[in-house]
Amino acid sequence: MQIAGMNFVITGAGAGIGAGTARLAASHGARVMLSDANDANGEAVAEGIRAEGGTACYQHCDVSDEAQVQALMQAAAEQLGGIDVLHNNAGIHESMLGGGLSLENMSRATFDKVMAINVTGVWLCAKYALPWLRQSSQASIINAGSTSSITGYPNCVAYGSSKGAVMQMTKMLAVDLAPDGIRVNCYCPGSIHTKMVDDFLAAAPDQKAMLNTMTMTHLIPRMGQPQDVAELVCFLASPAASFINGAVWLIDGGSLAWRGTLDVLGMGERV
Ligand code: NAP
């Protein structure tokens, strides 16, 4: 993977894809600053990495809080000795906040909160990591998009709008930071089995129909796992990806490659 000795900052690293990336990066010899809004989970993941012999520290950070983001980047630079990779992973879906999901039922507060974390948080983290990324000869920012950056889903207007913005911000920052030698890429996962997906399913009016929508389009007939995405993030951070910039990487089991569901191919039955 060629990421040994690189310094990673990962937001939302207490669970799911962020935790998986922190573990994988550390297992390849990277030094990792984990951060999360949930301290118990974040501390536990960092402790687990250290117990395996990896280098990991933890700092609380709600990515929508400017002062906390600034403090995170300062702490990462001091404790790791610099920042090479910013993994903007933290994100939420409106289904995790309770309340209505339709246009008429969702509150303004819910819409604003999704935007504050998923969009403003990415921008804030890039802004405050920049002084240290500029000092790195292998700097990159890796943003969590989604297939909903690209296509529509039911009951996802805040989330999908936010992830569309993340995809476009990736390209804008890749342009603006090119003179600094900082690469900026994003990836768009299909359904990855994490708490976010479990919460989304639980909030769906028809859970079986939603599970079909999420997984029966995967040409690889399973949900993704956090490790699948972690492998891509570590690759994008590595020198092997040094000519990849401003790119949008689908990691969706093939779901956006076609318009069918697996029953058409005799590969699965609707649940
Ligand atoms: P997850 O399992 O819910 O984990 C996200 C982590 O971020 C949790 O530890 C959560 O803490 C934390 N978090 C929530 N709000 C935060 C904030 N304001 N500041 C910092 N941390 C915060 O989610 P995931 O499925 O791993 O998703 C990670 C990223 O991948 C997200 O950006 C998501 O949109 C994207 N993504 C996921 C999927 C998927 O299928 N899972 C698909 C496409 C894209 P709590 O314990 O407090 O919730």
Side-chain angles (χ1 to χ4, degrees):
M1 200 59 92
Q2 298 179 291
I3 56 172
M6 291 175 74
N7 297 326
F8 279 56
V9 176
I10 304 177
T11 63
I17 294 166
T21 304
R23 292 187 187 106
L24 186 69
S27 76
H28 284 288
R31 292 185 287 260
V32 184
M33 167 60 88
L34 297 91
S35 68
D36 205 283
N38 183 325
D39 291 336
N41 286 351
E43 295 272 19
V45 177
E47 181 54 40
I49 291 171
R50 289 192 293 268
E52 296 287 318
T55 304
C57 41
Y58 174 78
Q59 166 111 357
H60 174 86
C61 180
D62 172 345
V63 296
S64 64
D65 183 308
E66 186 165 1
Q68 290 182 25
V69 170
Q70 196 166 9
L72 169 64
M73 301 309 164
Q74 184 75 39
E78 286 172 7
Q79 293 176 41
L80 303 178
I83 302 174
D84 300 305
V85 179
L86 168 61
H87 180 199
N88 273 318
N89 165 75
I92 63 164
H93 189 282
E94 49 265 48
S95 60
M96 302 163 84
L97 299 175
L101 299 177
S102 66
L103 182 57
E104 68 265 43
N105 291 333
M106 190 193 296
S107 69
R108 165 79 188 262
T110 292
F111 188 86
D112 286 350
K113 183 157 187 174
V114 172
M115 290 294 161
I117 294 171
N118 293 8
V119 183
T120 311
V122 171
W123 180 79
L124 284 172
C125 287
K127 178 179 173 70
Y128 288 107
L130 183 57
W132 289 283
L133 291 170
R134 278 199 175 117
Q135 293 172 30
S136 167
S137 60
Q138 45 194 355
S140 76
I141 299 172
I142 302 166
N143 295 327
S146 163
T147 48
S148 67
S149 301
I150 297 165
T151 195
Y153 290 97
N155 290 323
C156 287
V157 68
Y159 184 77
S161 303
S162 74
K163 291 301 181 178
V166 168
M167 181 176 70
Q168 193 61 10
M169 195 192 304
T170 296
K171 298 175 187 179
M172 298 300 174
L173 290 179
V175 175
D176 286 352
L177 303 184
D180 294 301
I182 301 168
R183 297 182 297 112
V184 189
N185 292 293
C186 88
Y187 57 87
C188 295
S191 299
I192 309 297
H193 195 206
T194 66
K195 182 174 174 295
M196 175 181 282
V197 162
D198 287 341
D199 289 351
F200 180 62
L201 276 174
D206 182 340
Q207 293 183 25
K208 286 183 177 176
M210 184 55 70
L211 187 62
N212 279 328
T213 302
M214 293 174 76
T215 58
M216 285 288 283
T217 59
H218 287 185
L219 289 170
I220 296 163
R222 61 173 174 85
M223 267 207 202
Q225 296 297 327
Q227 170 91 9
D228 294 319
V229 182
E231 295 280 357
L232 176 59
V233 174
C234 290
F235 164 70
L236 288 172
S238 76
S242 64
F243 197 56
I244 298 173
N245 197 10
V248 178
W249 284 67
L250 284 172
I251 176 159
D252 66 344
S255 67
L256 295 195
W258 71 319
R259 292 186 60 197
T261 50
L262 289 180
D263 49 337
V264 174
L265 302 179
M267 288 176 68
E269 290 181 11
R270 292 180 165 272
V271 290

